[in-house]
Each structure stands twice: as C-alpha cells, then as structure tokens.
Amino acid sequence: MSFRFLFPFVATLVLLLSAPSARAESTPEDLFRQGREAVQKKDWQRARELLARSWALKKSFDTAALLGQSELKLEKFRDAAEHLDFAVRSFPNLEPSADARKRIEEAAKRARSKVLALRISASVPGAEITVDGSSVGREPLDAEVFLEPGKHQVKAALDGYDAADREVEAKAGRAERIELKLDRQPTPPGASAPAAAV
C-alpha cells in the first residue's frame, strides 16, 4: 500500500489519539493545576492566563484565591479585588483554615486599598445594572463592584421604567453605597402596566 493511501488513515489516527489530551487540558481542574504550578514558579502572567481560563469554566474558591493573588502581583487591582472578595465570601468552613483565610483576607485588603468598593442597589428588582456600559448583574447584586480610580458611569435599566444613571468618582481605598431610583414610564391608555421582574 502506498503512502498516499496510508496518509489519511495515519492523520485520522493522530487526531483520535490527541483528542482526549486536548480535552483534558481544557478542563477547569487541569487549568487550575497548571495555574497553581505557574504560581509556585512565580510566573504570574502565565498563572493569571491559566487561572482566568479555569475561572471562566468553573467559579470556585481556590481558583478565585490564586487568580486574585496573581492579579495582585501584576497590579491588576480591580480584578484582584473582585476575585479575592469572592474567595473570602466563599471560603470553605474546613480545618486547618485560619492561616489560609488570613492570607487571603490580607491580600484582599491590599487590593481594596487601590480601588473603590461600590455597593450598588436599584429601586426595582430585576433591573440590569451596568458600569461603563458593561453589565455587572441584576438587582439585587450579591457583592460589591470594584472600580479603578477615576470617573465611571453607573446605570440601572428595566423595561417599563425610565433608566437611572449616576456618575461616580472612584477614589482608591474608599467604600461607598449608591441607590439608583427607576421611575415607571407612563402607561399608554388601554395598555396594562408592566410588572416588576422578580
């Protein structure tokens, strides 16, 4: 049999043999393991890339903790604050944990000292909240939103209501709270009023 006829068979065999390996490398657990190894080598950029991919697939306490610490080393303070805050809030109630929790809380405190921690609420449940045009979730938000120093536009919107927005001047190390009040739009004659999202 000539090589010309063997080539498609060999190519298919190579693809089949490499497919499980490729799938394994994309699992959140494998990406986390590789990211943890990069952290141990102090390769912070590589660690951040791998752990961010793991985080996108599976949001877990341990990934958030290592990702946040990597971002802190890279001075990505807003991202670090967000991930370390998640790690603190979702810290497992296991022993021994006191020392690990303390280290994560100290890292979170360092990240928060470089950003504004903003607690945002809206007057109507279900309203979508955006910061600088990017969605951060719907009312009620379950966590603070972290902002780099400077001016930011915060907005809440929901069908049937006039949007509410506010400009926020973010200052490092501060924590603030704002509420966005949405006013119901007038109901045209003969139309039923929209119900608030639950």
Side-chain angles (χ1 to χ4, degrees):
M1 185 182 288
S2 70
F3 179 75
R4 188 174 52 140
F5 295 108
L6 271 175
F7 180 76
F9 173 77
V10 172
T12 303
L13 187 61
V14 168
L15 285 172
L16 289 172
L17 291 174
S18 63
S21 174
R23 282 197 302 272
E25 287 176 3
S26 64
T27 66
E29 293 77 15
D30 195 61
L31 290 165
F32 173 79
R33 179 187 56 76
Q34 293 176 55
R36 185 177 56 202
E37 289 170 1
V39 166
Q40 291 166 349
K41 295 175 183 175
K42 300 189 186 323
D43 186 349
W44 305 115
Q45 187 59 47
R46 174 79 173 147
R48 186 190 186 213
E49 291 167 4
L50 291 163
L51 293 164
R53 287 170 57 198
S54 178
W55 176 255
L57 296 169
K58 180 181 177 183
K59 291 176 171 44
S60 64
F61 148 76
D62 47 0
T63 302
L66 286 185
L67 177 56
Q69 290 170 8
S70 300
E71 290 165 335
L72 190 58
K73 292 289 186 179
L74 294 167
E75 299 186 356
K76 305 288 185 184
F77 299 118
R78 195 214 68 79
D79 294 339
E82 179 180 308
H83 294 123
L84 290 166
D85 178 68
F86 180 95
V88 169
R89 288 186 291 111
S90 60
F91 195 92
N93 189 22
L94 301 172
E95 293 294 340
S97 63
D99 187 52
R101 185 182 186 100
K102 183 179 178 183
R103 286 197 307 271
I104 294 168
E105 287 174 342
E106 287 173 353
K109 186 176 179 181
R110 286 198 304 276
R112 289 172 71 99
S113 73
K114 304 292 186 179
V115 297
L116 168 70
L118 185 63
R119 178 69 69 175
I120 307 169
S121 62
S123 60
V124 183
E128 182 178 23
I129 298 173
T130 60
V131 175
D132 300 329
S134 296
S135 178
V136 295
R138 291 187 175 273
E139 167 67 26
L141 296 180
D142 62 356
E144 294 167 305
V145 175
F146 299 98
L147 303 177
E148 298 279 2
K151 292 183 178 179
H152 300 273
Q153 201 69 26
V154 182
K155 181 178 179 180
L158 185 67
D159 287 344
Y161 293 82
D162 291 324
D165 62 1
R166 186 179 303 180
E167 185 176 82
V168 173
E169 178 75 37
K171 295 183 180 177
R174 299 278 302 273
E176 296 179 13
R177 179 184 295 268
I178 64 169
E179 181 179 0
L180 300 170
K181 186 176 185 307
L182 290 83
D183 293 319
R184 189 184 293 276
Q185 294 171 344
T187 305
S192 58
V198 178

